[in-house]
Amino acid sequence: MSSAMSLPNPASAQPTGRLLFDMSVPGRRAALLPPCDVLPSPLPPAALLREELTLPEVSEVEVVRYFTHLSTLNYSVETGMYPLGSCTMKYNPKRQEDIARLPGFSWAHPLAPAETVQGALQVLYELQGYLGEITGMAGVSLAPMAGAHGELAGILMVRAYHQSRADLGRRKVLVPDSAHGTNPATAAMAGYEVVAIPSDQRGNCDLEHLRAALGPDVAALMLTQPNTLGLFDTHILEIAAELHRHGALLYGDGANMNALLGRAKPGDMGFDVIHLNLHKTFSTPHGGGGPGAGPVCVKPHLADFLPTPVVALAGEGASAYRFSAPSQTIGRMGGFHGNFGVLLRAYAYIRTLGPEGLREVTDNAVLNANYVRAQLTDLYAIKYDRTCMHEVVLAGTRQKAQGANTLAIAKRLIDYGFHPPTIYFPLIVEEALMIEPTETESRQTLDAFVAALRAIAREAEEDPELLRTAPHFTPVGRLDEATAARRPYLRWKQPQG
Ligand SMILES: *Cc1c(COP(=O)(O)O)cnc(C)c1O
């Protein structure tokens, strides 16, 4: 046993560490109400009233401390580095929050006549232009409200495109085996048969397999560039040419755009359609199912199919900006006009950084990932040993052989104060540790993160049990995640007896 494990957890000595219900003392109150000096309104019918409603009886300071304590149990990008690969958990500057909260924007009503919200429409119009410029695409719709939602919009556009050409035999969508799970799910939701394409020795999409799978029944390939291994697919131009030669389209999953800003445009690589995750690349706090935005950007031959609304500029004057519907639109992706607050943050972020700033984001994101990679590959295995882009996929195979698998490494990292990286994804890397440091971490923080992972590698050698039983310093240790999800304990019950 390590000495660190016997340290007391100071939080547990405080009553705040207990459930609010368990702190209840009969008669204790959190409010002092003055005597009622208006006519009381009648209570609802007796049948609707509960005699016994066990609410905790606690004082005001107990309530305040209880919830303040709970808030400190959260881990966020504002409490520490969040290297969750594929998620791009960068720090989001507060300026975007100020701008999203400007009353002229936050109070705008989605049904307001266009002539009364020209400023808001101008922001959307200009954002469409910026995203088109950044991705090298001709048309943009900001309507989809998540990455996966953008994927669905994109694949529905692919389907509409083939249908418009009376090319009705295309039943298959190809998806590399390194893809995010939303890719095959999207293709299946749009009614396609999903065909997996293996990765080659270097982590690229395997060209031989791709060629063998192509034919008149293929609608599209969904490719992530750089892929979820954090690797730039160096065959991209050949891949695009092969697809187009067979009349199929190249769909881009743009969740990894943080690796390309100002350096390379998916449009130049041959992609026909790409979605972006504004909440990843363009700075909106995300995680926990919060609001997102997944705009779709397309080449001219798909522009007529974009989901509505698209903001158009017609002439000058009080109603120059207006919502428009492309001629063969796939329709709406949801109510109203997309997640306006997220779109505003992206607009503010792009305007704040400008072209040089955006390029610096990517340069530093890629530099940071390679810095981490270079300092860990003597202790952690790496399946595809190449210069990476914005994230690096290591493997805990050596540590697993010593008795502490990747899950144990991730749990132990919590004891060192770091959020774990993504683990066991991508699926093609055994014991995967997928680390995305992002550009917003300092050299010092990266060094501390590397030091923690190096210390953990030593511990795996000397005392794997310490890892297998981690975390040791959290209010709860190893959770039964399957039961927690299937039988959630959502309601306090009076203890028996
Ligand atoms: C995050 C992610 C998605 C899905 O995006 P959501 O906004 O979570 O729906 C798709 N592909 C990749 C590679 C991702 O990282």
Side-chain angles (χ1 to χ4, degrees):
M1 284 276 167
S2 107
S3 57
M5 284 180 62
S6 52
L7 281 177
N9 178 355
S12 65
Q14 296 274 352
T16 39
R18 292 153 46 198
L19 282 177
L20 194 62
F21 278 93
D22 294 333
M23 293 160 64
S24 184
V25 172
R28 203 167 268 180
R29 287 287 175 272
L32 265 182
L33 296 180
C36 185
D37 60 357
V38 293
L39 286 178
S41 47
L43 287 170
L48 295 180
L49 295 178
R50 278 178 286 185
E51 274 302 312
E52 295 214 7
L53 190 60
T54 40
L55 290 174
E57 298 184 74
V58 285
S59 67
E60 180 173 325
V61 68
E62 283 173 317
V63 175
V64 169
R65 282 187 188 151
Y66 176 75
F67 284 107
T68 305
H69 171 72
L70 275 190
S71 76
T72 66
L73 298 181
N74 268 347
Y75 192 95
S76 74
V77 79
E78 287 167 11
T79 47
M81 180 179 171
Y82 212 129
L84 201 62
S86 216
C87 295
T88 313
M89 302 298 284
K90 62 169 81 178
Y91 171 72
N92 309 294
K94 295 292 166 267
R95 172 192 294 255
Q96 283 88 263
E97 296 305 312
D98 293 340
I99 288 167
R101 281 167 177 72
L102 289 176
F105 290 133
S106 61
W107 285 83
H109 194 282
L111 292 178
E115 63 271 22
T116 67
V117 287
Q118 284 291 295
L121 292 186
Q122 184 180 349
V123 163
L124 297 178
Y125 180 79
E126 290 180 6
L127 180 61
Q128 288 171 185
Y130 298 151
L131 298 180
E133 172 70 24
I134 288 168
T135 56
M137 295 292 194
V140 176
S141 167
L142 306 170
M145 286 172 274
H149 208 204
E151 287 175 37
L152 182 62
I155 292 298
L156 290 178
M157 277 188 273
V158 167
R159 196 175 72 180
Y161 167 82
H162 290 309
Q163 281 173 353
S164 76
R165 296 154 51 93
D167 187 353
L168 304 176
R170 299 185 181 270
R171 299 173 288 105
K172 295 180 184 168
V173 166
L174 313 181
V175 181
D177 59 2
S178 60
H180 194 268
T182 49
N183 291 185
T186 293
M189 268 187 80
Y192 286 106
E193 181 189 328
V194 179
V195 179
I197 305 294
S199 302
D200 69 15
Q201 293 279 313
R202 298 183 65 240
N204 287 330
C205 175
D206 189 300
L207 269 181
E208 288 312 306
H209 277 91
L210 179 65
R211 286 201 185 98
L214 278 172
D217 56 350
V218 172
L221 166 72
M222 296 181 83
L223 195 79
T224 311
Q225 177 76 311
N227 63 22
T228 66
L229 299 161
L231 300 176
F232 190 91
D233 198 311
T234 48
H235 298 143
I236 185 63
L237 297 178
E238 280 167 275
I239 291 173
E242 283 288 342
L243 276 147
H244 293 149
R245 205 160 60 79
H246 286 88
L249 297 182
L250 182 56
Y251 180 91
D253 179 331
N256 292 342
M257 198 63 205
N258 221 44
L260 301 177
L261 298 174
R263 286 285 171 196
K265 299 182 179 187
D268 294 345
M269 299 178 207
F271 286 96
D272 298 287
V273 44
I274 185 171
H275 84 261
L276 297 172
N277 299 55
L278 297 191
H279 45 293
K280 292 179 180 173
T281 314
F282 297 97
S283 178
T284 275
H286 66 111
V296 275
C297 313
V298 298
K299 288 277 173 64
H301 51 281
L302 290 176
D304 286 344
F305 304 100
L306 281 168
T308 54
V310 171
V311 179
L313 175 60
E316 287 173 29
S319 51
Y321 295 99
R322 58 185 66 164
F323 288 121
S324 76
S327 60
Q328 302 178 71
T329 179
I330 58 164
R332 286 193 161 274
M333 297 304 294
F336 304 117
H337 322 306
N339 274 331
F340 183 55
V342 179
L343 302 173
L344 263 177
R345 286 174 177 86
Y347 177 86
Y349 185 69
I350 292 170
R351 290 295 300 262
T352 303
L353 289 175
E356 283 78 31
L358 289 175
R359 190 179 316 132
E360 233 177 284
V361 162
T362 279
D363 290 357
N364 287 326
V366 172
L367 181 64
N368 284 357
N370 280 289
Y371 184 73
V372 168
R373 181 181 65 86
Q375 299 205 70
L376 289 173
T377 41
D378 57 333
L379 295 180
Y380 291 90
I382 183 163
K383 184 170 176 186
Y384 306 99
D385 197 3
R386 279 165 63 182
T387 304
C388 63
M389 299 292 283
H390 66 307
E391 60 195 352
V392 58
V393 180
L394 302 175
T397 40
R398 236 173 272 168
Q399 289 72 25
K400 187 183 181 186
Q402 291 161 346
N405 64 7
T406 284
L407 179 69
I409 294 167
K411 295 290 187 193
R412 183 60 178 158
L413 205 47
I414 298 172
D415 283 339
Y416 282 85
F418 287 100
H419 193 286
T422 297
I423 56 174
Y424 298 107
F425 179 79
L427 303 175
I428 56 174
V429 175
E430 202 191 325
E431 297 294 312
L433 281 155
M434 185 195 210
I435 300 166
E436 182 178 7
T438 82
E439 72 282 4
T440 55
E441 296 308 327
S442 68
R443 165 88 189 266
Q444 288 72 24
T445 303
L446 296 179
D447 285 342
F449 177 71
V450 164
L453 272 175
R454 295 190 71 83
I456 290 171
R458 242 185 345 267
E459 290 172 348
E461 251 176 72
E462 293 162 5
D463 185 7
E465 173 72 8
L466 182 64
L467 274 60
R468 279 202 299 269
T469 49
H472 302 287
F473 302 133
T474 48
V476 289
R478 294 278 179 122
L479 300 175
D480 179 350
E481 286 159 15
T483 306
R486 281 196 205 122
R487 298 181 50 212
Y489 180 53
L490 301 175
R491 199 161 154 248
W492 182 84
K493 293 204 187 78
Q494 189 101 48
Q496 300 296 314

